[in-house]
Amino acid sequence: MAIVARGLPRSVGRQWAGALIAAAGRLAQMALTLLVASFLIFVALQLAPGNPVDIMLGAKAGDPEAVRRLNEQFHFDQPLLVQYGHWLTGLLHGDLGTSFVFRENVSSLIAARIPTTALLVAYGGVLVLVLGFVTGLVAARAGRTVDTGISVLLSVALATPTYVIAIVLITVFSLYLDWFPVFGSGTGLLGRLHHLTLPAVTLALSSSAAIARVTRAAVKDEERRDHVTTALARGLDPRTVLRRHVVRNALLPITTIAGIVAAGLIAGTVIVENAFGLDGVGSLLVQAITRKDYAVVQSTSILVIAAFLVVNALVDILYGIIDPRTRKGGSR
């Protein structure tokens, strides 16, 4: 007993040390990814056609003195690596720079628009998980006719571009039925949810179809396994078997596609926010790209990439919760 008592804390300590090392390695990998991505985006912006100084000056673009002042102010007269160093140093100090177009601190611009984008992604994410999982489960458990009908609808949803879905929803539910507003984000929680319903449905429709397909396939595959057949043969309640043996084991592939879909929702806000006139980060990114607003494009792009990385990390954590064997690196 004494040996076991002395060995237990050492084992727990090794587990904690391993977890901390893994977490540190994951954070270092995420930091390196962000660094490389930020540099590639910075270089791509510099190589893109057009001159931000001309855009800022407008009619005064031919004034040499004005051009010189702006080049000095925003370090455009310095080598590319020096410009990137200025931006990176500011980022590490919490300074994202100043927007060339809006003449406002980039941090303030993004912070004012994050709530709209965050609520849109959360609303769309809930719709994706609920609609996708329920539809996939119904298709897997229903008869052949219903299964075929649902599969056809899912194929149509997957094949339809997001902007086409937006046009159809606006035409039907805003212009004809007048159930939802066309533009704006609304005020207050209920007002925002009302304004964001059509954008969230637009964002979620094709993604929920992807979730439904994977759910249907995973549930059907689990229902054919021997332990499920044995449990049913022993007279266990089919609902209990479905919940404990089928759905639980089907969660791993569903979690995988859910992580990919969640990352896709973040990217999809760029199209949806512009289609519905929302004041989110996605619409800000489009405005900044069209006007070559380097500081805004750089910062919003890094924000989107960071969100992708965080989602992937959360998926890995969920894997360990759903099936501890994945956390230990054991075989399935």
Side-chain angles (χ1 to χ4, degrees):
M1 291 295 294
I3 296 176
V4 174
R6 285 196 301 269
L8 182 60
R10 192 176 305 157
S11 174
V12 173
R14 283 197 299 267
Q15 290 179 3
W16 276 102
L20 290 175
I21 292 173
R26 187 60 182 263
L27 289 175
Q29 183 182 15
M30 292 172 65
L32 181 60
T33 302
L34 286 174
L35 181 64
V36 173
S38 68
F39 180 74
L40 293 177
I41 294 170
F42 192 88
V43 172
L45 287 172
Q46 298 293 331
L47 296 177
N51 190 340
V53 173
D54 293 340
I55 297 175
M56 284 186 283
L57 292 177
K60 296 182 179 180
D63 184 352
E65 182 60 25
V67 171
R68 184 190 64 79
R69 285 199 303 267
L70 284 179
N71 280 330
E72 289 183 355
Q73 179 182 352
F74 294 105
H75 310 292
F76 292 149
D77 57 340
Q78 297 180 352
L80 178 64
L81 289 178
V82 176
Q83 293 183 44
Y84 177 72
H86 281 294
W87 178 83
L88 186 60
T89 301
L91 176 66
L92 295 177
H93 288 85
D95 180 15
L96 299 180
T98 303
S99 168
F100 308 153
V101 176
F102 298 98
R103 299 301 178 95
E104 187 178 342
N105 188 276
V106 176
S107 301
S108 302
L109 279 174
I110 295 178
R113 292 171 177 255
I114 282 179
T116 297
T117 300
L119 185 57
L120 174 61
V121 171
Y123 196 173
V126 171
L127 292 178
V128 165
L129 293 177
V130 173
L131 292 176
F133 182 77
V134 171
T135 304
L137 189 60
V138 169
R141 304 281 295 173
R144 184 173 182 179
T145 302
V146 175
D147 185 15
T148 302
I150 291 177
S151 297
V152 171
L153 292 176
L154 294 179
S155 298
V156 172
L158 283 170
T160 306
T162 302
Y163 66 87
V164 174
I165 296 174
I167 293 172
V168 172
L169 292 181
I170 290 173
T171 302
V172 175
F173 294 101
S174 292
L175 299 182
Y176 287 155
L177 298 178
D178 196 24
W179 288 358
F180 299 97
V182 180
F183 299 109
S185 304
T187 57
L189 180 58
L190 293 180
R192 281 181 172 269
L193 291 177
H194 186 220
H195 278 74
L196 292 179
T197 296
L198 286 187
V201 172
T202 303
L203 192 64
L205 200 56
S206 59
S207 298
S208 61
I211 293 283
R213 273 192 165 185
V214 173
T215 301
R216 173 186 173 277
V219 169
K220 280 183 171 293
D221 183 57
E222 290 297 330
E223 285 181 331
R224 290 191 291 265
R225 294 190 181 276
D226 293 339
H227 68 278
V228 173
T229 305
T230 302
L232 292 173
R234 292 171 57 189
L236 293 180
D237 183 14
R239 289 174 298 181
T240 302
V241 174
L242 177 67
R243 185 177 66 255
R244 292 184 179 179
H245 299 284
V246 176
V247 173
R248 182 173 182 178
N249 291 330
L251 284 179
L252 280 179
I254 296 173
T255 302
T256 301
I257 189 65
I260 298 173
V261 164
L265 290 180
I266 299 170
T269 58
V270 175
I271 298 175
V272 173
E273 287 179 2
N274 281 276
F276 289 91
L278 302 177
D279 57 341
V281 176
S283 60
L284 176 65
L285 177 60
V286 172
Q287 295 175 37
I289 291 174
T290 56
R291 301 182 184 184
K292 287 188 69 68
D293 198 342
Y294 289 166
V296 176
V297 174
Q298 186 82 359
S299 299
T300 51
S301 300
I302 293 303
L303 180 64
V304 171
I305 294 172
F308 270 69
L309 295 175
V310 170
V311 167
N312 288 332
L314 291 177
V315 169
D316 288 345
I317 294 173
L318 285 176
Y319 258 61
I321 294 175
I322 295 171
D323 188 350
R325 291 173 297 179
T326 61
R327 189 169 60 236
K328 297 175 181 178
S331 61
R332 284 175 145 326

